[in-house]
Amino acid sequence: MSTITAVKSNEVYEGFDVQSVRKCTPKVAGFRVCAELTANGNGSVQIRLIAETPFGNYSKTFSFSADADFEFKPISRVSIKVSIRNFKVTKQVISFNLKLEGCINLPWPVGKKCVSKSFSVSLPMPVLAAKSTEELSSGDLALLLLAAQNDECNCS
């Protein structure tokens, strides 16, 4: 669990309780599918799909806010099917049932191998505290600017 600060549309959002979960299928022939899930403050969920294959790793990130079915084909030999059911949002949690199915087409004699797994997911709803940038002190703005820089200090 960590706290982050984000600036969007001239508003500062702080106090996100970020808690991600990672769900994976079992590994079959060096292949598995994982989903990293994080609740957004607007009632949606960000999902990052990861296909770990003998040919390399592939990922795709997107958001959903209702029941959905979709398929991701990073390369011709790999496909991932995702099913979201019973999507519910309350003030405290976002919950849903997640089904991951991954298939990989390996050279002969192995052929096509598929693996799937279902999960019940419950993510805590982030707490948002928004402040207009006009309400921030110059010290707060300076800290935000410093936090946004990725330069490392090579101090002696």
Side-chain angles (χ1 to χ4, degrees), residues 117-148:
K117 185 149 184 176
S118 295
F119 307 93
S120 291
V121 178
S122 181
L123 299 167
M125 181 66 83
V127 177
L128 294 178
K131 292 183 184 178
S132 170
T133 52
E134 289 83 28
E135 297 174 16
L136 293 173
S137 70
S138 59
D140 289 337
L141 288 172
L143 286 174
L144 285 172
L145 290 172
L146 286 173

Side-chain angles (χ1 to χ4, degrees), residues 9 13 32 37 49 78 89 94 110 118 129 141 145:
S9 303
Y13 296 92
R32 78 174 177 170
L37 304 145
L49 292 176
V78 176
V89 178
I94 298 177
V110 178
S118 295
L141 288 172
L145 290 172

